[in-house]
Amino acid sequence: MGIEFAAERRLLNDNEYEPIVRSHYPAIGALTQAELVDLAGWLRGQHNRARDIVRHRHRVQRGKAEPQGVAADQASTRGLAAKKQVFARALKRVNARLHHLAAADRRAKARAGAAASLRDALARRQAAPQHHPPGGWTEGSGMRSKQSARRRTNVPPSRIGSISQAGKASQSARDNPGG
């Protein structure tokens, strides 16, 4: 569950609250990548500092370490643990935004690379020699005779039709036996 803005405001002092506000949605979109990296570093440092203090206080409560500071032995770790969670959530938002920007950069580079590859392929195709013959006759050249696709025969013209004539004569002889 998230922590409300008012709860974050109560947990943090003024110096810590301003960067946390910048890590929330409308403001985080306006930050540049360099500002996000700086903010992530600061948040990571604050989170680590709060984590170390909570660990030390737990060690003091168990008797494993000596208390440091004036009121460190009576101080509760509950508020500091909540503050640590505020820093962790802010760091998570900033890291997500950094990841989103990096993914957008990768997509833009991939898109530019694909477009360059397509332009190169088109240039190679246009520069390559054509591997097919010309299309043949073109319009506007007038009429031309077309060669026949039929086989040429070597039958002398005097023989053409003689077979059918012989068939007719034999049929006629059979039909008229006497005459």
Side-chain angles (χ1 to χ4, degrees):
M1 262 174 45
I3 296 177
E4 295 84 16
F5 290 144
E8 284 182 354
R9 183 71 190 110
R10 274 194 314 271
L11 289 170
L12 304 171
N13 62 29
D14 294 334
N15 295 340
E16 296 169 337
Y17 185 66
E18 189 271 327
I20 298 295
V21 170
R22 288 188 348 190
S23 74
H24 284 290
Y25 166 64
I28 199 170
L31 297 177
T32 65
Q33 188 165 5
E35 291 172 334
L36 286 170
V37 169
D38 290 342
L39 181 59
W42 184 85
L43 288 169
R44 196 170 289 111
Q46 292 298 314
H47 177 264
N48 291 346
R49 180 178 170 273
R51 180 198 62 208
D52 293 343
I53 293 172
V54 168
R55 282 182 183 168
H56 181 73
R57 286 186 182 172
H58 282 159
R59 285 177 55 82
V60 168
Q61 287 175 355
R62 291 191 323 249
K64 301 272 185 179
E66 292 296 320
Q68 294 175 348
V70 179
D73 52 349
Q74 292 94 10
S76 170
T77 59
R78 184 173 297 163
L80 199 55
K83 184 187 274 194
K84 182 181 80 163
Q85 289 178 353
V86 170
F87 290 132
R89 287 187 179 103
L91 185 59
K92 187 174 180 180
R93 287 189 299 268
V94 171
N95 284 339
R97 179 67 182 162
L98 282 170
H99 179 72
H100 176 75
L101 290 177
D105 287 344
R106 283 193 304 272
R107 283 192 304 269
K109 286 178 184 176
R111 207 172 12 255
S117 296
L118 289 173
R119 280 192 297 273
D120 292 344
L122 178 63
R124 284 193 308 271
R125 180 162 184 148
Q126 289 174 342
Q130 293 183 353
H131 296 289
H132 52 80
W137 303 118
T138 60
E139 62 181 65
S141 301
M143 292 178 63
R144 289 186 175 84
S145 62
K146 217 172 154 183
Q147 269 189 342
S148 174
R150 292 189 314 188
R151 261 185 335 148
R152 287 184 110 12
T153 61
N154 291 331
V155 178
S158 61
R159 296 260 333 213
I160 294 176
S162 66
I163 302 298
S164 63
Q165 186 59 42
K168 286 180 191 175
S170 104
Q171 185 66 42
S172 174
R174 278 192 306 267
D175 290 344
N176 299 323

